[in-house]
Amino acid sequence: PIVGLDYFFFTEAGVQLKKEMNMDEGSIEAARSSGEAVKCLIARCHKSKAIFAHVVPCKGVDEQGVVADMVVGDIEWLGHTRLIVKAENEPAVQALKRQALELAKVEVKELEQATHEEPPAYDSQANGGTEVGVRVIRGMLRTLKLCLEQRINQYIPVDHPIMAWLLEHVCTLLTATVRGEDGVTAWTRIRGRPFAQQLIGFGESVLYKYPTKGPRHDPHGNLGALGADGVFLGFNRHSNTFEVWTGTEHISVRSVTRKPESDRWIAK
């Protein structure tokens, strides 16, 4: 299997690859610092068609290490014992590819062989399978962002923290619900069974249940409520739980209950 890597950006003009921005490296970094552009990473498995994407935090020299850990997490979830990592010739993504491979060989125990593939020089189509993934993300992200904005009657800027969660959620939906020509989703190809979690609108206000054990169990005593209000942020693909914002922190919970339609969308 080939896993393709590439960088792309959120801007006011939409989701764009670097070559579509017509900006030099200095201008792009200035746009990132001012919040006009948000750098993102895509990892796409060309065999299973699974897609992962992450917002890249602006952390200077440490940034590459943070993103490499994200890539290793994606590789581990895919579960391949042998794979090839491929990226275009841009120095930044080539450096990321090398670092991610080094980490994966150490941290992913099931990985028997991991190597890389160099694209031909000056060939803009060499990483076309990954760029197709960016276009697929673009369409779904636009749909969900406009849907959420209409429901809460608020505009969401590209540098808002909710965009990082929305990007992850979009990729989960693409992996778990989009069927290929064989009638099977990427999730089923990888996990061996269909995605079984309840589908909930992104940003929807829900009731989540406190865990039955641990420090979060019965925070108000055994006569208190069994749960509380939260905002749905997506799914945790590693533990099959829901990601919920409580108002002060984000937590993973095993059970949520949807509210009546009139109470589901609240701008906070």
PDB file of all heavy atoms in Angstrom, residues 147-148 150-153 198-207 229-232 256-268:
ATOM      1  N   CYS A 147     -23.192  24.485   6.371  1.00  0.00           N
ATOM      2  CA  CYS A 147     -24.329  23.954   7.124  1.00  0.00           C
ATOM      3  C   CYS A 147     -24.305  24.434   8.573  1.00  0.00           C
ATOM      4  O   CYS A 147     -25.320  24.894   9.105  1.00  0.00           O
ATOM      5  CB  CYS A 147     -24.310  22.431   7.065  1.00  0.00           C
ATOM      6  SG  CYS A 147     -25.650  21.633   7.954  1.00  0.00           S
ATOM      7  N   LEU A 148     -23.134  24.361   9.215  1.00  0.00           N
ATOM      8  CA  LEU A 148     -23.022  24.792  10.602  1.00  0.00           C
ATOM      9  C   LEU A 148     -23.239  26.291  10.724  1.00  0.00           C
ATOM     10  O   LEU A 148     -23.928  26.757  11.651  1.00  0.00           O
ATOM     11  CB  LEU A 148     -21.648  24.402  11.151  1.00  0.00           C
ATOM     12  CG  LEU A 148     -21.366  24.786  12.604  1.00  0.00           C
ATOM     13  CD1 LEU A 148     -22.379  24.152  13.541  1.00  0.00           C
ATOM     14  CD2 LEU A 148     -19.941  24.376  13.003  1.00  0.00           C
ATOM     15  N   GLN A 150     -25.058  28.194   8.853  1.00  0.00           N
ATOM     16  CA  GLN A 150     -26.484  28.486   8.677  1.00  0.00           C
ATOM     17  C   GLN A 150     -27.275  28.116   9.928  1.00  0.00           C
ATOM     18  O   GLN A 150     -28.199  28.826  10.330  1.00  0.00           O
ATOM     19  CB  GLN A 150     -27.004  27.709   7.456  1.00  0.00           C
ATOM     20  CG  GLN A 150     -28.422  28.077   7.014  1.00  0.00           C
ATOM     21  CD  GLN A 150     -29.480  27.279   7.750  1.00  0.00           C
ATOM     22  OE1 GLN A 150     -29.228  26.163   8.178  1.00  0.00           O
ATOM     23  NE2 GLN A 150     -30.660  27.859   7.902  1.00  0.00           N
ATOM     24  N   ARG A 151     -26.882  27.032  10.579  1.00  0.00           N
ATOM     25  CA  ARG A 151     -27.627  26.570  11.748  1.00  0.00           C
ATOM     26  C   ARG A 151     -27.416  27.461  12.961  1.00  0.00           C
ATOM     27  O   ARG A 151     -28.325  27.663  13.765  1.00  0.00           O
ATOM     28  CB  ARG A 151     -27.228  25.126  12.073  1.00  0.00           C
ATOM     29  CG  ARG A 151     -27.859  24.113  11.132  1.00  0.00           C
ATOM     30  CD  ARG A 151     -27.251  22.740  11.272  1.00  0.00           C
ATOM     31  NE  ARG A 151     -28.133  21.702  10.723  1.00  0.00           N
ATOM     32  CZ  ARG A 151     -27.788  20.452  10.519  1.00  0.00           C
ATOM     33  NH1 ARG A 151     -26.540  20.068  10.785  1.00  0.00           N
ATOM     34  NH2 ARG A 151     -28.640  19.585  10.044  1.00  0.00           N
ATOM     35  N   ILE A 152     -26.198  27.991  13.128  1.00  0.00           N
ATOM     36  CA  ILE A 152     -25.927  28.846  14.294  1.00  0.00           C
ATOM     37  C   ILE A 152     -25.997  30.329  13.938  1.00  0.00           C
ATOM     38  O   ILE A 152     -25.846  31.185  14.820  1.00  0.00           O
ATOM     39  CB  ILE A 152     -24.560  28.520  14.918  1.00  0.00           C
ATOM     40  CG1 ILE A 152     -23.414  28.858  13.954  1.00  0.00           C
ATOM     41  CG2 ILE A 152     -24.507  27.068  15.361  1.00  0.00           C
ATOM     42  CD1 ILE A 152     -22.027  28.681  14.556  1.00  0.00           C
ATOM     43  N   ASN A 153     -26.194  30.626  12.647  1.00  0.00           N
ATOM     44  CA  ASN A 153     -26.303  32.007  12.168  1.00  0.00           C
ATOM     45  C   ASN A 153     -25.058  32.826  12.524  1.00  0.00           C
ATOM     46  O   ASN A 153     -25.154  33.969  12.972  1.00  0.00           O
ATOM     47  CB  ASN A 153     -27.556  32.682  12.745  1.00  0.00           C
ATOM     48  CG  ASN A 153     -27.928  33.945  11.991  1.00  0.00           C
ATOM     49  OD1 ASN A 153     -27.633  34.076  10.796  1.00  0.00           O
ATOM     50  ND2 ASN A 153     -28.554  34.884  12.676  1.00  0.00           N
ATOM     51  N   GLN A 198     -23.369   6.183  16.052  1.00  0.00           N
ATOM     52  CA  GLN A 198     -24.496   7.030  15.669  1.00  0.00           C
ATOM     53  C   GLN A 198     -23.982   8.312  15.008  1.00  0.00           C
ATOM     54  O   GLN A 198     -23.091   8.974  15.537  1.00  0.00           O
ATOM     55  CB  GLN A 198     -25.317   7.384  16.910  1.00  0.00           C
ATOM     56  CG  GLN A 198     -26.494   8.302  16.639  1.00  0.00           C
ATOM     57  CD  GLN A 198     -27.190   8.757  17.916  1.00  0.00           C
ATOM     58  OE1 GLN A 198     -26.637   8.620  19.018  1.00  0.00           O
ATOM     59  NE2 GLN A 198     -28.381   9.287  17.795  1.00  0.00           N
ATOM     60  N   LEU A 199     -24.516   8.659  13.837  1.00  0.00           N
ATOM     61  CA  LEU A 199     -24.102   9.875  13.148  1.00  0.00           C
ATOM     62  C   LEU A 199     -24.830  11.075  13.735  1.00  0.00           C
ATOM     63  O   LEU A 199     -26.059  11.077  13.869  1.00  0.00           O
ATOM     64  CB  LEU A 199     -24.387   9.761  11.649  1.00  0.00           C
ATOM     65  CG  LEU A 199     -23.568   8.714  10.894  1.00  0.00           C
ATOM     66  CD1 LEU A 199     -23.950   8.699   9.422  1.00  0.00           C
ATOM     67  CD2 LEU A 199     -22.077   8.982  11.033  1.00  0.00           C
ATOM     68  N   ILE A 200     -24.055  12.106  14.079  1.00  0.00           N
ATOM     69  CA  ILE A 200     -24.574  13.313  14.719  1.00  0.00           C
ATOM     70  C   ILE A 200     -24.050  14.523  13.965  1.00  0.00           C
ATOM     71  O   ILE A 200     -22.937  14.498  13.430  1.00  0.00           O
ATOM     72  CB  ILE A 200     -24.125  13.371  16.202  1.00  0.00           C
ATOM     73  CG1 ILE A 200     -24.667  12.146  16.957  1.00  0.00           C
ATOM     74  CG2 ILE A 200     -24.602  14.649  16.884  1.00  0.00           C
ATOM     75  CD1 ILE A 200     -24.129  12.022  18.371  1.00  0.00           C
ATOM     76  N   GLY A 201     -24.829  15.587  13.897  1.00  0.00           N
ATOM     77  CA  GLY A 201     -24.402  16.798  13.216  1.00  0.00           C
ATOM     78  C   GLY A 201     -23.221  17.445  13.913  1.00  0.00           C
ATOM     79  O   GLY A 201     -23.215  17.583  15.145  1.00  0.00           O
ATOM     80  N   PHE A 202     -22.225  17.870  13.132  1.00  0.00           N
ATOM     81  CA  PHE A 202     -21.053  18.502  13.737  1.00  0.00           C
ATOM     82  C   PHE A 202     -21.459  19.812  14.414  1.00  0.00           C
ATOM     83  O   PHE A 202     -22.181  20.629  13.845  1.00  0.00           O
ATOM     84  CB  PHE A 202     -19.998  18.787  12.675  1.00  0.00           C
ATOM     85  CG  PHE A 202     -18.762  19.422  13.232  1.00  0.00           C
ATOM     86  CD1 PHE A 202     -17.790  18.649  13.829  1.00  0.00           C
ATOM     87  CD2 PHE A 202     -18.574  20.800  13.189  1.00  0.00           C
ATOM     88  CE1 PHE A 202     -16.646  19.224  14.369  1.00  0.00           C
ATOM     89  CE2 PHE A 202     -17.441  21.386  13.716  1.00  0.00           C
ATOM     90  CZ  PHE A 202     -16.475  20.593  14.308  1.00  0.00           C
ATOM     91  N   GLY A 203     -20.973  20.026  15.639  1.00  0.00           N
ATOM     92  CA  GLY A 203     -21.301  21.226  16.390  1.00  0.00           C
ATOM     93  C   GLY A 203     -22.649  21.168  17.082  1.00  0.00           C
ATOM     94  O   GLY A 203     -23.100  22.164  17.662  1.00  0.00           O
ATOM     95  N   GLU A 204     -23.281  20.017  17.055  1.00  0.00           N
ATOM     96  CA  GLU A 204     -24.612  19.867  17.646  1.00  0.00           C
ATOM     97  C   GLU A 204     -24.529  19.812  19.169  1.00  0.00           C
ATOM     98  O   GLU A 204     -23.636  19.190  19.736  1.00  0.00           O
ATOM     99  CB  GLU A 204     -25.259  18.590  17.103  1.00  0.00           C
ATOM    100  CG  GLU A 204     -26.679  18.362  17.566  1.00  0.00           C
ATOM    101  CD  GLU A 204     -27.294  17.131  16.917  1.00  0.00           C
ATOM    102  OE1 GLU A 204     -27.017  16.887  15.718  1.00  0.00           O
ATOM    103  OE2 GLU A 204     -28.053  16.416  17.611  1.00  0.00           O
ATOM    104  N   SER A 205     -25.475  20.462  19.839  1.00  0.00           N
ATOM    105  CA  SER A 205     -25.553  20.407  21.295  1.00  0.00           C
ATOM    106  C   SER A 205     -26.188  19.079  21.707  1.00  0.00           C
ATOM    107  O   SER A 205     -27.275  18.723  21.239  1.00  0.00           O
ATOM    108  CB  SER A 205     -26.393  21.575  21.824  1.00  0.00           C
ATOM    109  OG  SER A 205     -26.486  21.540  23.237  1.00  0.00           O
ATOM    110  N   VAL A 206     -25.497  18.338  22.556  1.00  0.00           N
ATOM    111  CA  VAL A 206     -25.955  17.003  22.955  1.00  0.00           C
ATOM    112  C   VAL A 206     -25.898  16.877  24.480  1.00  0.00           C
ATOM    113  O   VAL A 206     -25.332  17.727  25.178  1.00  0.00           O
ATOM    114  CB  VAL A 206     -25.086  15.898  22.317  1.00  0.00           C
ATOM    115  CG1 VAL A 206     -25.216  15.909  20.808  1.00  0.00           C
ATOM    116  CG2 VAL A 206     -23.620  16.038  22.737  1.00  0.00           C
ATOM    117  N   LEU A 207     -26.483  15.798  24.973  1.00  0.00           N
ATOM    118  CA  LEU A 207     -26.349  15.416  26.375  1.00  0.00           C
ATOM    119  C   LEU A 207     -25.395  14.224  26.435  1.00  0.00           C
ATOM    120  O   LEU A 207     -25.639  13.209  25.783  1.00  0.00           O
ATOM    121  CB  LEU A 207     -27.707  15.041  26.967  1.00  0.00           C
ATOM    122  CG  LEU A 207     -28.752  16.152  27.038  1.00  0.00           C
ATOM    123  CD1 LEU A 207     -30.112  15.569  27.430  1.00  0.00           C
ATOM    124  CD2 LEU A 207     -28.335  17.223  28.037  1.00  0.00           C
ATOM    125  N   ASP A 229     -24.584  18.910  29.506  1.00  0.00           N
ATOM    126  CA  ASP A 229     -24.623  19.425  28.141  1.00  0.00           C
ATOM    127  C   ASP A 229     -23.215  19.483  27.561  1.00  0.00           C
ATOM    128  O   ASP A 229     -22.245  19.792  28.259  1.00  0.00           O
ATOM    129  CB  ASP A 229     -25.209  20.839  28.127  1.00  0.00           C
ATOM    130  CG  ASP A 229     -26.698  20.839  28.440  1.00  0.00           C
ATOM    131  OD1 ASP A 229     -27.400  19.955  27.946  1.00  0.00           O
ATOM    132  OD2 ASP A 229     -27.157  21.733  29.179  1.00  0.00           O
ATOM    133  N   GLY A 230     -23.116  19.235  26.284  1.00  0.00           N
ATOM    134  CA  GLY A 230     -21.850  19.346  25.584  1.00  0.00           C
ATOM    135  C   GLY A 230     -22.084  19.627  24.112  1.00  0.00           C
ATOM    136  O   GLY A 230     -23.221  19.659  23.642  1.00  0.00           O
ATOM    137  N   VAL A 231     -20.996  19.834  23.378  1.00  0.00           N
ATOM    138  CA  VAL A 231     -21.055  20.081  21.932  1.00  0.00           C
ATOM    139  C   VAL A 231     -20.293  18.980  21.232  1.00  0.00           C
ATOM    140  O   VAL A 231     -19.122  18.718  21.544  1.00  0.00           O
ATOM    141  CB  VAL A 231     -20.465  21.464  21.580  1.00  0.00           C
ATOM    142  CG1 VAL A 231     -20.453  21.672  20.070  1.00  0.00           C
ATOM    143  CG2 VAL A 231     -21.265  22.574  22.254  1.00  0.00           C
ATOM    144  N   PHE A 232     -20.928  18.339  20.265  1.00  0.00           N
ATOM    145  CA  PHE A 232     -20.316  17.225  19.541  1.00  0.00           C
ATOM    146  C   PHE A 232     -19.245  17.739  18.586  1.00  0.00           C
ATOM    147  O   PHE A 232     -19.503  18.600  17.747  1.00  0.00           O
ATOM    148  CB  PHE A 232     -21.394  16.473  18.760  1.00  0.00           C
ATOM    149  CG  PHE A 232     -20.855  15.413  17.844  1.00  0.00           C
ATOM    150  CD1 PHE A 232     -20.344  14.237  18.357  1.00  0.00           C
ATOM    151  CD2 PHE A 232     -20.856  15.608  16.470  1.00  0.00           C
ATOM    152  CE1 PHE A 232     -19.840  13.257  17.516  1.00  0.00           C
ATOM    153  CE2 PHE A 232     -20.352  14.635  15.623  1.00  0.00           C
ATOM    154  CZ  PHE A 232     -19.847  13.455  16.147  1.00  0.00           C
ATOM    155  N   VAL A 256     -23.906   9.466  24.083  1.00  0.00           N
ATOM    156  CA  VAL A 256     -24.522  10.786  23.983  1.00  0.00           C
ATOM    157  C   VAL A 256     -25.980  10.622  23.576  1.00  0.00           C
ATOM    158  O   VAL A 256     -26.362   9.624  22.963  1.00  0.00           O
ATOM    159  CB  VAL A 256     -23.803  11.702  22.965  1.00  0.00           C
ATOM    160  CG1 VAL A 256     -22.374  11.962  23.367  1.00  0.00           C
ATOM    161  CG2 VAL A 256     -23.880  11.129  21.566  1.00  0.00           C
ATOM    162  N   THR A 257     -26.782  11.604  23.935  1.00  0.00           N
ATOM    163  CA  THR A 257     -28.200  11.620  23.573  1.00  0.00           C
ATOM    164  C   THR A 257     -28.494  12.918  22.836  1.00  0.00           C
ATOM    165  O   THR A 257     -28.098  13.998  23.300  1.00  0.00           O
ATOM    166  CB  THR A 257     -29.097  11.526  24.824  1.00  0.00           C
ATOM    167  OG1 THR A 257     -28.782  10.317  25.531  1.00  0.00           O
ATOM    168  CG2 THR A 257     -30.571  11.514  24.441  1.00  0.00           C
ATOM    169  N   ARG A 258     -29.174  12.823  21.713  1.00  0.00           N
ATOM    170  CA  ARG A 258     -29.507  14.018  20.934  1.00  0.00           C
ATOM    171  C   ARG A 258     -30.675  14.747  21.586  1.00  0.00           C
ATOM    172  O   ARG A 258     -31.565  14.142  22.193  1.00  0.00           O
ATOM    173  CB  ARG A 258     -29.859  13.639  19.504  1.00  0.00           C
ATOM    174  CG  ARG A 258     -28.760  12.893  18.788  1.00  0.00           C
ATOM    175  CD  ARG A 258     -29.080  12.644  17.334  1.00  0.00           C
ATOM    176  NE  ARG A 258     -28.888  13.853  16.540  1.00  0.00           N
ATOM    177  CZ  ARG A 258     -29.098  13.899  15.224  1.00  0.00           C
ATOM    178  NH1 ARG A 258     -29.524  12.825  14.576  1.00  0.00           N
ATOM    179  NH2 ARG A 258     -28.889  15.023  14.557  1.00  0.00           N
ATOM    180  N   LYS A 259     -30.682  16.059  21.452  1.00  0.00           N
ATOM    181  CA  LYS A 259     -31.744  16.900  21.984  1.00  0.00           C
ATOM    182  C   LYS A 259     -32.834  17.081  20.933  1.00  0.00           C
ATOM    183  O   LYS A 259     -32.646  16.747  19.759  1.00  0.00           O
ATOM    184  CB  LYS A 259     -31.170  18.267  22.383  1.00  0.00           C
ATOM    185  CG  LYS A 259     -30.170  18.229  23.524  1.00  0.00           C
ATOM    186  CD  LYS A 259     -29.726  19.642  23.876  1.00  0.00           C
ATOM    187  CE  LYS A 259     -28.758  19.659  25.043  1.00  0.00           C
ATOM    188  NZ  LYS A 259     -28.344  21.033  25.391  1.00  0.00           N
ATOM    189  N   PRO A 260     -33.987  17.660  21.318  1.00  0.00           N
ATOM    190  CA  PRO A 260     -34.997  18.003  20.316  1.00  0.00           C
ATOM    191  C   PRO A 260     -34.425  18.963  19.279  1.00  0.00           C
ATOM    192  O   PRO A 260     -33.489  19.731  19.556  1.00  0.00           O
ATOM    193  CB  PRO A 260     -36.100  18.664  21.137  1.00  0.00           C
ATOM    194  CG  PRO A 260     -35.915  18.122  22.514  1.00  0.00           C
ATOM    195  CD  PRO A 260     -34.461  17.915  22.685  1.00  0.00           C
ATOM    196  N   GLU A 261     -34.971  18.949  18.078  1.00  0.00           N
ATOM    197  CA  GLU A 261     -34.446  19.741  16.968  1.00  0.00           C
ATOM    198  C   GLU A 261     -34.280  21.220  17.326  1.00  0.00           C
ATOM    199  O   GLU A 261     -33.290  21.853  16.952  1.00  0.00           O
ATOM    200  CB  GLU A 261     -35.385  19.610  15.764  1.00  0.00           C
ATOM    201  CG  GLU A 261     -34.885  20.275  14.496  1.00  0.00           C
ATOM    202  CD  GLU A 261     -33.724  19.554  13.848  1.00  0.00           C
ATOM    203  OE1 GLU A 261     -33.687  18.316  13.903  1.00  0.00           O
ATOM    204  OE2 GLU A 261     -32.847  20.232  13.287  1.00  0.00           O
ATOM    205  N   SER A 262     -35.204  21.776  18.079  1.00  0.00           N
ATOM    206  CA  SER A 262     -35.168  23.204  18.401  1.00  0.00           C
ATOM    207  C   SER A 262     -34.038  23.574  19.359  1.00  0.00           C
ATOM    208  O   SER A 262     -33.689  24.752  19.486  1.00  0.00           O
ATOM    209  CB  SER A 262     -36.509  23.632  19.023  1.00  0.00           C
ATOM    210  OG  SER A 262     -36.784  22.871  20.200  1.00  0.00           O
ATOM    211  N   ASP A 263     -33.445  22.575  20.043  1.00  0.00           N
ATOM    212  CA  ASP A 263     -32.402  22.853  21.034  1.00  0.00           C
ATOM    213  C   ASP A 263     -31.024  22.379  20.603  1.00  0.00           C
ATOM    214  O   ASP A 263     -30.081  22.418  21.393  1.00  0.00           O
ATOM    215  CB  ASP A 263     -32.755  22.148  22.358  1.00  0.00           C
ATOM    216  CG  ASP A 263     -34.063  22.619  22.949  1.00  0.00           C
ATOM    217  OD1 ASP A 263     -34.415  23.794  22.722  1.00  0.00           O
ATOM    218  OD2 ASP A 263     -34.745  21.825  23.634  1.00  0.00           O
ATOM    219  N   ARG A 264     -30.862  21.958  19.350  1.00  0.00           N
ATOM    220  CA  ARG A 264     -29.606  21.337  18.935  1.00  0.00           C
ATOM    221  C   ARG A 264     -28.529  22.325  18.521  1.00  0.00           C
ATOM    222  O   ARG A 264     -27.344  22.001  18.569  1.00  0.00           O
ATOM    223  CB  ARG A 264     -29.877  20.386  17.755  1.00  0.00           C
ATOM    224  CG  ARG A 264     -30.607  19.141  18.143  1.00  0.00           C
ATOM    225  CD  ARG A 264     -30.871  18.238  16.942  1.00  0.00           C
ATOM    226  NE  ARG A 264     -31.630  17.059  17.327  1.00  0.00           N
ATOM    227  CZ  ARG A 264     -32.067  16.146  16.490  1.00  0.00           C
ATOM    228  NH1 ARG A 264     -31.828  16.275  15.182  1.00  0.00           N
ATOM    229  NH2 ARG A 264     -32.758  15.117  16.913  1.00  0.00           N
ATOM    230  N   TRP A 265     -28.891  23.530  18.115  1.00  0.00           N
ATOM    231  CA  TRP A 265     -27.904  24.438  17.518  1.00  0.00           C
ATOM    232  C   TRP A 265     -27.862  25.738  18.292  1.00  0.00           C
ATOM    233  O   TRP A 265     -28.811  26.524  18.267  1.00  0.00           O
ATOM    234  CB  TRP A 265     -28.223  24.670  16.052  1.00  0.00           C
ATOM    235  CG  TRP A 265     -28.395  23.390  15.323  1.00  0.00           C
ATOM    236  CD1 TRP A 265     -29.556  22.806  14.935  1.00  0.00           C
ATOM    237  CD2 TRP A 265     -27.358  22.481  14.955  1.00  0.00           C
ATOM    238  NE1 TRP A 265     -29.316  21.603  14.345  1.00  0.00           N
ATOM    239  CE2 TRP A 265     -27.974  21.371  14.335  1.00  0.00           C
ATOM    240  CE3 TRP A 265     -25.972  22.505  15.074  1.00  0.00           C
ATOM    241  CZ2 TRP A 265     -27.254  20.297  13.838  1.00  0.00           C
ATOM    242  CZ3 TRP A 265     -25.254  21.423  14.583  1.00  0.00           C
ATOM    243  CH2 TRP A 265     -25.886  20.349  13.971  1.00  0.00           C
ATOM    244  N   ILE A 266     -26.789  25.945  19.014  1.00  0.00           N
ATOM    245  CA  ILE A 266     -26.615  27.126  19.864  1.00  0.00           C
ATOM    246  C   ILE A 266     -25.248  27.709  19.610  1.00  0.00           C
ATOM    247  O   ILE A 266     -24.229  27.015  19.744  1.00  0.00           O
ATOM    248  CB  ILE A 266     -26.766  26.765  21.363  1.00  0.00           C
ATOM    249  CG1 ILE A 266     -28.099  26.067  21.614  1.00  0.00           C
ATOM    250  CG2 ILE A 266     -26.646  28.021  22.225  1.00  0.00           C
ATOM    251  CD1 ILE A 266     -28.213  25.480  23.014  1.00  0.00           C
ATOM    252  N   ALA A 267     -25.175  28.979  19.254  1.00  0.00           N
ATOM    253  CA  ALA A 267     -23.877  29.658  19.069  1.00  0.00           C
ATOM    254  C   ALA A 267     -23.369  30.078  20.437  1.00  0.00           C
ATOM    255  O   ALA A 267     -24.027  30.832  21.159  1.00  0.00           O
ATOM    256  CB  ALA A 267     -24.040  30.865  18.154  1.00  0.00           C
ATOM    257  N   LYS A 268     -22.173  29.604  20.808  1.00  0.00           N
ATOM    258  CA  LYS A 268     -21.606  29.918  22.127  1.00  0.00           C
ATOM    259  C   LYS A 268     -20.330  30.711  21.972  1.00  0.00           C
ATOM    260  O   LYS A 268     -19.610  30.520  21.014  1.00  0.00           O
ATOM    261  CB  LYS A 268     -21.336  28.631  22.916  1.00  0.00           C
ATOM    262  CG  LYS A 268     -22.609  27.855  23.245  1.00  0.00           C
ATOM    263  CD  LYS A 268     -22.279  26.658  24.093  1.00  0.00           C
ATOM    264  CE  LYS A 268     -23.549  25.887  24.454  1.00  0.00           C
ATOM    265  NZ  LYS A 268     -23.269  24.705  25.299  1.00  0.00           N
TER     266      LYS A 268
END
